[in-house]
Amino acid sequence: MLVCPVRRCHLPLVRDNKRVVCPRGHSFDVARSGYINLLQPQDRRSKHPGDTAAVVQARRRLHDRGITEPLLLAIAEMLHATCNDIVLDAGCGDGVYLGTLAREIGFDAHGIDISIPAIDSAARRYPKCQWIVANADRFIPYADHSFSIVLSITARMNAVEFRRVLRNDGRLLVVIPATDDLIELRGAGRDRLPRTVESFAPRFTLATQRRVTTAADLDAAAIQDLLLTIYRPKHSRSLDAMRVTFSLDLLLFRPA
Ligand SMILES: [Zn+2]
Protein backbone atom coordinates (compact mmCIF):
# COMPACT_ATOMS: atom_id res chain seq x y z
CA MET A 1 0.00 0.00 0.00
CA LEU A 2 3.08 2.22 -0.05
CA VAL A 3 3.04 4.26 -3.28
CA CYS A 4 5.59 6.22 -5.25
CA PRO A 5 5.86 9.86 -4.07
CA VAL A 6 6.92 11.20 -7.48
CA ARG A 7 4.37 13.74 -8.72
CA ARG A 8 1.80 12.18 -11.09
CA CYS A 9 3.28 8.67 -10.58
CA HIS A 10 1.86 7.27 -7.31
CA LEU A 11 2.18 3.64 -8.49
CA PRO A 12 2.75 0.91 -5.86
CA LEU A 13 6.23 0.55 -4.43
CA VAL A 14 7.67 -2.93 -3.94
CA ARG A 15 10.66 -3.95 -1.86
CA ASP A 16 13.78 -4.92 -3.81
CA ASN A 17 16.60 -5.77 -1.41
CA LYS A 18 17.92 -2.45 0.01
CA ARG A 19 15.47 -0.24 -1.84
CA VAL A 20 11.86 0.12 -2.93
CA VAL A 21 10.96 0.63 -6.59
CA CYS A 22 7.83 1.52 -8.59
CA PRO A 23 6.98 0.05 -12.03
CA ARG A 24 8.24 3.26 -13.69
CA GLY A 25 11.68 2.71 -12.17
CA HIS A 26 11.62 5.38 -9.45
CA SER A 27 13.75 3.98 -6.67
CA PHE A 28 14.25 4.86 -2.99
CA ASP A 29 16.76 3.61 -0.44
CA VAL A 30 15.96 1.62 2.66
CA ALA A 31 18.26 2.95 5.40
CA ARG A 32 20.40 0.69 7.54
CA SER A 33 18.07 1.29 10.50
CA GLY A 34 15.14 0.19 8.32
CA TYR A 35 13.29 3.38 7.44
CA ILE A 36 12.51 4.39 3.85
CA ASN A 37 13.35 7.87 2.61
CA LEU A 38 10.67 9.09 0.17
CA LEU A 39 11.59 12.78 0.30
CA GLN A 40 11.39 14.53 -3.04
CA PRO A 41 13.79 17.34 -4.09
CA GLN A 42 11.07 19.96 -3.50
CA ASP A 43 10.53 18.58 0.04
CA ARG A 44 14.16 19.19 0.94
CA ARG A 45 13.48 22.90 0.51
CA SER A 46 10.38 22.73 2.72
CA LYS A 47 9.74 25.69 5.03
CA HIS A 48 9.06 23.05 7.70
CA PRO A 49 12.11 20.77 7.60
CA GLY A 50 11.22 19.09 10.88
CA ASP A 51 13.12 18.41 14.06
CA THR A 52 16.90 18.55 14.21
CA ALA A 53 18.93 15.78 15.88
CA ALA A 54 19.34 17.98 18.99
CA VAL A 55 15.57 18.47 19.30
CA VAL A 56 14.92 14.75 18.74
CA GLN A 57 17.36 13.86 21.53
CA ALA A 58 15.88 16.48 23.90
CA ARG A 59 12.35 15.22 23.27
CA ARG A 60 13.45 11.63 23.80
CA ARG A 61 15.02 12.49 27.18
CA LEU A 62 11.75 14.17 28.22
CA HIS A 63 9.70 11.10 27.20
CA ASP A 64 12.16 8.85 29.06
CA ARG A 65 11.45 10.80 32.27
CA GLY A 66 7.86 9.54 32.05
CA ILE A 67 6.37 13.04 31.71
CA THR A 68 4.26 12.09 28.69
CA GLU A 69 2.89 8.85 30.20
CA PRO A 70 -0.54 10.34 31.20
CA LEU A 71 -0.87 11.82 27.70
CA LEU A 72 -0.12 8.44 26.11
CA LEU A 73 -2.69 6.78 28.38
CA ALA A 74 -5.39 9.29 27.37
CA ILE A 75 -4.61 8.77 23.69
CA ALA A 76 -4.83 4.97 24.11
CA GLU A 77 -8.18 5.25 25.93
CA MET A 78 -9.68 7.46 23.27
CA LEU A 79 -8.44 5.31 20.39
CA HIS A 80 -9.70 1.89 21.51
CA ALA A 81 -7.34 0.35 18.96
CA THR A 82 -7.11 -3.42 18.52
CA CYS A 83 -4.52 -5.70 16.95
CA ASN A 84 -6.64 -5.67 13.74
CA ASP A 85 -6.17 -1.95 13.18
CA ILE A 86 -3.83 -0.45 10.60
CA VAL A 87 -2.57 2.83 11.99
CA LEU A 88 -0.85 5.81 10.40
CA ASP A 89 0.82 8.47 12.54
CA ALA A 90 1.32 11.52 10.30
CA GLY A 91 4.04 13.76 11.70
CA CYS A 92 5.10 11.05 14.15
CA GLY A 93 8.40 12.65 15.21
CA ASP A 94 10.53 10.08 17.02
CA GLY A 95 7.55 7.71 17.06
CA VAL A 96 7.19 7.45 20.82
CA TYR A 97 3.38 7.43 20.84
CA LEU A 98 2.90 5.16 17.82
CA GLY A 99 5.79 2.85 18.71
CA THR A 100 4.67 2.40 22.32
CA LEU A 101 1.02 1.77 21.38
CA ALA A 102 1.99 -0.67 18.62
CA ARG A 103 4.17 -2.59 21.06
CA GLU A 104 1.32 -2.80 23.61
CA ILE A 105 -1.60 -3.48 21.26
CA GLY A 106 0.07 -5.23 18.33
CA PHE A 107 -1.54 -3.30 15.48
CA ASP A 108 0.12 -2.70 12.10
CA ALA A 109 1.89 0.65 12.53
CA HIS A 110 3.17 3.18 9.99
CA GLY A 111 4.83 6.48 10.91
CA ILE A 112 5.66 9.40 8.63
CA ASP A 113 7.76 12.45 9.39
CA ILE A 114 9.81 14.91 7.34
CA SER A 115 12.73 14.79 9.82
CA ILE A 116 15.40 12.19 9.06
CA PRO A 117 16.89 12.29 12.60
CA ALA A 118 13.41 11.75 14.08
CA ILE A 119 12.56 8.82 11.80
CA ASP A 120 16.00 7.25 12.23
CA SER A 121 15.48 7.37 16.01
CA ALA A 122 12.01 5.82 15.62
CA ALA A 123 13.31 3.02 13.38
CA ARG A 124 16.05 2.09 15.84
CA ARG A 125 13.73 2.12 18.83
CA TYR A 126 10.67 0.43 17.26
CA PRO A 127 11.92 -1.84 14.44
CA LYS A 128 8.58 -3.66 14.03
CA CYS A 129 6.80 -0.55 12.73
CA GLN A 130 7.24 0.91 9.25
CA TRP A 131 8.91 4.34 9.28
CA ILE A 132 8.86 6.69 6.31
CA VAL A 133 10.59 10.02 5.72
CA ALA A 134 8.14 12.03 3.62
CA ASN A 135 6.44 15.41 3.45
CA ALA A 136 2.86 14.68 4.57
CA ASP A 137 1.96 18.33 3.93
CA ARG A 138 2.17 17.57 0.23
CA PHE A 139 1.32 13.88 -0.20
CA ILE A 140 0.97 10.88 2.10
CA PRO A 141 2.68 8.06 0.13
CA TYR A 142 0.01 5.43 0.74
CA ALA A 143 -2.85 4.13 -1.39
CA ASP A 144 -6.41 5.39 -0.84
CA HIS A 145 -8.23 3.92 2.21
CA SER A 146 -5.12 2.15 3.55
CA PHE A 147 -5.75 2.84 7.24
CA SER A 148 -8.40 2.20 9.87
CA ILE A 149 -6.88 4.88 12.14
CA VAL A 150 -4.97 8.07 11.36
CA LEU A 151 -3.19 9.92 14.18
CA SER A 152 -2.00 13.52 14.17
CA ILE A 153 -0.35 14.28 17.50
CA THR A 154 0.72 17.93 17.89
CA ALA A 155 1.71 17.81 14.23
CA ARG A 156 0.88 19.64 11.03
CA MET A 157 -2.50 18.63 9.60
CA ASN A 158 -3.60 17.76 6.07
CA ALA A 159 -7.35 17.10 6.08
CA VAL A 160 -7.50 16.18 2.37
CA GLU A 161 -4.75 13.57 2.59
CA PHE A 162 -5.93 12.22 5.96
CA ARG A 163 -9.35 11.58 4.42
CA ARG A 164 -7.93 9.98 1.28
CA VAL A 165 -5.80 7.40 3.12
CA LEU A 166 -8.47 6.67 5.77
CA ARG A 167 -11.12 3.99 5.30
CA ASN A 168 -14.72 5.17 5.20
CA ASP A 169 -15.37 3.44 8.54
CA GLY A 170 -12.08 4.63 10.03
CA ARG A 171 -11.34 7.26 12.64
CA LEU A 172 -8.99 10.19 12.95
CA LEU A 173 -7.47 11.28 16.26
CA VAL A 174 -6.12 14.82 16.27
CA VAL A 175 -4.18 16.00 19.32
CA ILE A 176 -3.43 19.71 19.73
CA PRO A 177 -1.87 21.74 22.56
CA ALA A 178 -4.52 23.10 24.94
CA THR A 179 -4.51 26.75 26.03
CA ASP A 180 -2.65 25.93 29.27
CA ASP A 181 0.00 23.66 27.69
CA LEU A 182 3.46 24.72 28.99
CA ILE A 183 1.81 27.89 30.31
CA GLU A 184 4.71 28.48 32.72
CA LEU A 185 7.12 28.69 29.79
CA ARG A 186 5.18 30.41 27.06
CA GLY A 187 2.13 31.97 28.67
CA ALA A 188 -1.47 31.13 27.82
CA GLY A 189 -1.89 29.87 24.27
CA ARG A 190 -4.77 30.58 21.93
CA ASP A 191 -7.68 28.18 21.77
CA ARG A 192 -7.03 26.13 18.63
CA LEU A 193 -10.14 23.97 19.00
CA PRO A 194 -12.68 25.87 16.86
CA ARG A 195 -10.28 26.43 13.99
CA THR A 196 -9.10 22.82 14.05
CA VAL A 197 -12.66 21.46 13.89
CA GLU A 198 -13.41 23.93 11.10
CA SER A 199 -10.31 22.89 9.12
CA PHE A 200 -11.49 19.26 9.05
CA ALA A 201 -15.02 20.13 7.89
CA PRO A 202 -16.70 19.06 5.64
CA ARG A 203 -14.60 15.88 5.29
CA PHE A 204 -14.78 14.93 8.97
CA THR A 205 -17.20 15.41 11.83
CA LEU A 206 -16.14 15.63 15.45
CA ALA A 207 -17.32 12.55 17.39
CA THR A 208 -15.83 13.12 20.85
CA GLN A 209 -13.34 15.37 22.56
CA ARG A 210 -11.54 15.53 25.89
CA ARG A 211 -8.75 17.47 27.53
CA VAL A 212 -5.89 15.76 29.34
CA THR A 213 -3.74 17.81 31.69
CA THR A 214 -0.78 16.75 33.78
CA ALA A 215 2.08 18.53 35.54
CA ALA A 216 5.66 17.54 36.24
CA ASP A 217 8.41 18.89 38.49
CA LEU A 218 11.35 19.38 36.14
CA ASP A 219 14.98 20.07 36.99
CA ALA A 220 17.04 22.65 35.14
CA ALA A 221 18.31 20.09 32.58
CA ALA A 222 14.78 19.01 31.72
CA ILE A 223 13.67 22.63 31.42
CA GLN A 224 16.52 23.21 28.99
CA ASP A 225 15.38 20.20 26.95
CA LEU A 226 11.81 21.45 26.97
CA LEU A 227 12.84 24.93 25.78
CA LEU A 228 14.70 23.29 22.89
CA THR A 229 11.54 21.53 21.75
CA ILE A 230 9.37 24.68 21.85
CA TYR A 231 9.07 26.72 18.76
CA ARG A 232 8.71 30.11 20.47
CA PRO A 233 9.63 30.00 24.16
CA LYS A 234 8.70 32.88 26.41
CA HIS A 235 12.13 32.64 28.07
CA SER A 236 15.40 32.20 26.27
CA ARG A 237 17.70 32.40 29.32
CA SER A 238 18.26 29.28 31.40
CA LEU A 239 15.67 28.59 34.08
CA ASP A 240 15.76 26.84 37.45
CA ALA A 241 13.78 23.78 38.36
CA MET A 242 10.04 24.36 38.16
CA ARG A 243 6.66 22.68 37.85
CA VAL A 244 5.37 22.63 34.28
CA THR A 245 1.88 21.94 32.93
CA PHE A 246 1.34 19.65 29.95
CA SER A 247 -2.13 19.88 28.48
CA LEU A 248 -3.59 18.51 25.28
CA ASP A 249 -6.97 18.56 23.55
CA LEU A 250 -7.88 15.22 21.99
CA LEU A 251 -10.36 15.30 19.10
CA LEU A 252 -11.79 12.12 17.64
CA PHE A 253 -13.20 12.60 14.13
CA ARG A 254 -15.12 10.30 11.81
CA PRO A 255 -15.37 10.66 8.04
CA ALA A 256 -18.47 12.69 7.21
ZN1 LIG B 1 7.14 6.16 -9.55
Side-chain angles (χ1 to χ4, degrees), residues 3 10 139-147 158-167 203-204:
V3 300
H10 300 178
F139 175 66
I140 293 178
Y142 283 90
D144 297 358
H145 311 303
S146 289
F147 299 100
N158 184 339
V160 174
E161 280 294 275
F162 289 177
R163 182 64 192 92
R164 183 183 64 77
V165 299
L166 189 63
R167 289 187 200 159
R203 293 175 180 85
F204 291 94

Short mmCIF file of all heavy atoms in Angstrom, two decimals, residues 3 10 139-147 158-167 203-204:
data_model
loop_
_atom_site.label_atom_id
_atom_site.label_comp_id
_atom_site.label_asym_id
_atom_site.label_seq_id
_atom_site.Cartn_x
_atom_site.Cartn_y
_atom_site.Cartn_z
N VAL A 3 3.02 3.86 -1.86
CA VAL A 3 3.04 4.26 -3.28
C VAL A 3 4.13 5.28 -3.55
O VAL A 3 4.59 5.98 -2.64
CB VAL A 3 1.66 4.79 -3.75
CG1 VAL A 3 0.57 3.75 -3.59
CG2 VAL A 3 1.29 6.08 -3.04
N HIS A 10 2.72 7.85 -8.35
CA HIS A 10 1.86 7.27 -7.31
C HIS A 10 1.52 5.80 -7.57
O HIS A 10 0.47 5.32 -7.12
CB HIS A 10 0.57 8.10 -7.12
CG HIS A 10 0.85 9.52 -6.71
ND1 HIS A 10 -0.12 10.46 -6.50
CD2 HIS A 10 2.01 10.18 -6.46
CE1 HIS A 10 0.41 11.62 -6.16
NE2 HIS A 10 1.71 11.47 -6.13
N PHE A 139 1.90 15.16 0.25
CA PHE A 139 1.32 13.88 -0.20
C PHE A 139 1.69 12.80 0.82
O PHE A 139 2.84 12.70 1.22
CB PHE A 139 1.91 13.53 -1.59
CG PHE A 139 1.49 12.18 -2.12
CD1 PHE A 139 0.17 11.92 -2.45
CD2 PHE A 139 2.44 11.17 -2.29
CE1 PHE A 139 -0.21 10.68 -2.93
CE2 PHE A 139 2.06 9.92 -2.78
CZ PHE A 139 0.73 9.68 -3.11
N ILE A 140 0.70 12.02 1.21
CA ILE A 140 0.97 10.88 2.10
C ILE A 140 1.16 9.66 1.20
O ILE A 140 0.22 9.28 0.49
CB ILE A 140 -0.17 10.68 3.11
CG1 ILE A 140 -0.21 11.88 4.07
CG2 ILE A 140 0.02 9.38 3.88
CD1 ILE A 140 -1.33 11.84 5.10
N PRO A 141 2.35 9.07 1.16
CA PRO A 141 2.68 8.06 0.13
C PRO A 141 2.05 6.68 0.40
O PRO A 141 2.75 5.66 0.45
CB PRO A 141 4.21 8.00 0.16
CG PRO A 141 4.55 8.38 1.57
CD PRO A 141 3.51 9.35 2.02
N TYR A 142 0.74 6.67 0.57
CA TYR A 142 0.01 5.43 0.74
C TYR A 142 -1.22 5.44 -0.16
O TYR A 142 -1.75 6.51 -0.47
CB TYR A 142 -0.42 5.26 2.20
CG TYR A 142 0.70 4.81 3.11
CD1 TYR A 142 1.51 5.73 3.75
CD2 TYR A 142 0.97 3.45 3.31
CE1 TYR A 142 2.56 5.33 4.57
CE2 TYR A 142 2.02 3.03 4.13
CZ TYR A 142 2.80 3.98 4.75
OH TYR A 142 3.83 3.57 5.55
N ALA A 143 -1.67 4.26 -0.54
CA ALA A 143 -2.85 4.13 -1.39
C ALA A 143 -4.09 4.63 -0.65
O ALA A 143 -4.12 4.67 0.58
CB ALA A 143 -3.02 2.68 -1.81
N ASP A 144 -5.14 4.95 -1.42
CA ASP A 144 -6.41 5.39 -0.84
C ASP A 144 -6.93 4.33 0.15
O ASP A 144 -6.82 3.13 -0.10
CB ASP A 144 -7.47 5.57 -1.94
CG ASP A 144 -7.09 6.66 -2.94
OD1 ASP A 144 -6.03 7.30 -2.77
OD2 ASP A 144 -7.86 6.86 -3.91
N HIS A 145 -7.54 4.79 1.24
CA HIS A 145 -8.23 3.92 2.21
C HIS A 145 -7.32 2.82 2.77
O HIS A 145 -7.75 1.69 2.97
CB HIS A 145 -9.48 3.29 1.57
CG HIS A 145 -10.36 4.29 0.88
ND1 HIS A 145 -10.89 5.39 1.53
CD2 HIS A 145 -10.78 4.38 -0.40
CE1 HIS A 145 -11.61 6.10 0.69
NE2 HIS A 145 -11.55 5.52 -0.50
N SER A 146 -6.06 3.15 3.01
CA SER A 146 -5.12 2.15 3.55
C SER A 146 -5.29 1.91 5.05
O SER A 146 -4.91 0.85 5.54
CB SER A 146 -3.67 2.61 3.32
OG SER A 146 -3.32 2.56 1.96
N PHE A 147 -5.84 2.89 5.78
CA PHE A 147 -5.75 2.84 7.24
C PHE A 147 -7.13 2.85 7.91
O PHE A 147 -8.05 3.48 7.43
CB PHE A 147 -4.94 4.04 7.76
CG PHE A 147 -3.54 4.05 7.22
CD1 PHE A 147 -3.19 4.88 6.15
CD2 PHE A 147 -2.57 3.22 7.76
CE1 PHE A 147 -1.91 4.87 5.64
CE2 PHE A 147 -1.28 3.20 7.26
CZ PHE A 147 -0.95 4.02 6.19
N ASN A 158 -3.26 17.74 7.50
CA ASN A 158 -3.60 17.76 6.07
C ASN A 158 -4.91 17.00 5.90
O ASN A 158 -4.93 15.79 5.67
CB ASN A 158 -2.45 17.11 5.28
CG ASN A 158 -2.66 17.17 3.78
OD1 ASN A 158 -3.78 17.33 3.31
ND2 ASN A 158 -1.58 17.02 3.04
N ALA A 159 -6.03 17.73 6.05
CA ALA A 159 -7.35 17.10 6.08
C ALA A 159 -7.62 16.30 4.80
O ALA A 159 -8.19 15.20 4.85
CB ALA A 159 -8.43 18.16 6.27
N VAL A 160 -7.22 16.84 3.65
CA VAL A 160 -7.50 16.18 2.37
C VAL A 160 -6.79 14.83 2.30
O VAL A 160 -7.40 13.79 1.96
CB VAL A 160 -7.05 17.08 1.19
CG1 VAL A 160 -7.20 16.36 -0.14
CG2 VAL A 160 -7.83 18.39 1.19
N GLU A 161 -5.51 14.81 2.65
CA GLU A 161 -4.75 13.57 2.59
C GLU A 161 -5.17 12.59 3.69
O GLU A 161 -5.22 11.37 3.46
CB GLU A 161 -3.25 13.87 2.66
CG GLU A 161 -2.66 14.34 1.35
CD GLU A 161 -2.69 13.23 0.32
OE1 GLU A 161 -1.77 12.39 0.29
OE2 GLU A 161 -3.68 13.19 -0.45
N PHE A 162 -5.47 13.11 4.87
CA PHE A 162 -5.93 12.22 5.96
C PHE A 162 -7.19 11.47 5.51
O PHE A 162 -7.34 10.28 5.73
CB PHE A 162 -6.25 13.01 7.24
CG PHE A 162 -5.05 13.57 7.96
CD1 PHE A 162 -5.22 14.35 9.10
CD2 PHE A 162 -3.76 13.33 7.52
CE1 PHE A 162 -4.13 14.88 9.79
CE2 PHE A 162 -2.65 13.86 8.19
CZ PHE A 162 -2.85 14.64 9.33
N ARG A 163 -8.10 12.21 4.86
CA ARG A 163 -9.35 11.58 4.42
C ARG A 163 -9.09 10.56 3.32
O ARG A 163 -9.68 9.49 3.30
CB ARG A 163 -10.33 12.66 3.93
CG ARG A 163 -11.68 12.10 3.49
CD ARG A 163 -12.42 11.48 4.66
NE ARG A 163 -13.58 10.69 4.23
CZ ARG A 163 -13.54 9.38 3.98
NH1 ARG A 163 -12.40 8.70 4.08
NH2 ARG A 163 -14.64 8.74 3.63
N ARG A 164 -8.20 10.89 2.40
CA ARG A 164 -7.93 9.98 1.28
C ARG A 164 -7.37 8.64 1.75
O ARG A 164 -7.77 7.58 1.26
CB ARG A 164 -6.93 10.64 0.31
CG ARG A 164 -6.64 9.78 -0.94
CD ARG A 164 -5.60 10.40 -1.85
NE ARG A 164 -4.29 10.53 -1.25
CZ ARG A 164 -3.43 9.53 -1.08
NH1 ARG A 164 -3.74 8.30 -1.48
NH2 ARG A 164 -2.26 9.72 -0.51
N VAL A 165 -6.44 8.66 2.71
CA VAL A 165 -5.80 7.40 3.12
C VAL A 165 -6.60 6.65 4.19
O VAL A 165 -6.28 5.52 4.53
CB VAL A 165 -4.35 7.61 3.61
CG1 VAL A 165 -3.49 8.19 2.49
CG2 VAL A 165 -4.28 8.46 4.86
N LEU A 166 -7.66 7.30 4.73
CA LEU A 166 -8.47 6.67 5.77
C LEU A 166 -9.64 5.91 5.16
O LEU A 166 -10.27 6.37 4.21
CB LEU A 166 -9.00 7.75 6.73
CG LEU A 166 -9.70 7.27 8.00
CD1 LEU A 166 -8.75 6.48 8.90
CD2 LEU A 166 -10.27 8.46 8.77
N ARG A 167 -9.93 4.73 5.73
CA ARG A 167 -11.12 3.99 5.30
C ARG A 167 -12.38 4.76 5.66
O ARG A 167 -12.40 5.54 6.60
CB ARG A 167 -11.18 2.64 6.04
CG ARG A 167 -10.13 1.65 5.61
CD ARG A 167 -10.45 0.35 6.32
NE ARG A 167 -9.30 -0.53 6.35
CZ ARG A 167 -9.14 -1.53 7.23
NH1 ARG A 167 -10.07 -1.75 8.15
NH2 ARG A 167 -8.09 -2.29 7.18
N ARG A 203 -15.02 17.28 5.51
CA ARG A 203 -14.60 15.88 5.29
C ARG A 203 -14.80 15.02 6.53
O ARG A 203 -14.99 13.82 6.44
CB ARG A 203 -13.13 15.83 4.87
CG ARG A 203 -12.90 16.44 3.51
CD ARG A 203 -11.45 16.50 3.15
NE ARG A 203 -11.31 17.10 1.84
CZ ARG A 203 -11.27 18.40 1.62
NH1 ARG A 203 -11.35 19.24 2.63
NH2 ARG A 203 -11.17 18.87 0.40
N PHE A 204 -14.68 15.67 7.70
CA PHE A 204 -14.78 14.93 8.97
C PHE A 204 -15.76 15.63 9.90
O PHE A 204 -15.88 16.86 9.86
CB PHE A 204 -13.41 14.91 9.67
CG PHE A 204 -12.37 14.07 8.98
CD1 PHE A 204 -11.48 14.65 8.08
CD2 PHE A 204 -12.26 12.71 9.24
CE1 PHE A 204 -10.50 13.88 7.45
CE2 PHE A 204 -11.29 11.94 8.62
CZ PHE A 204 -10.41 12.52 7.73
#
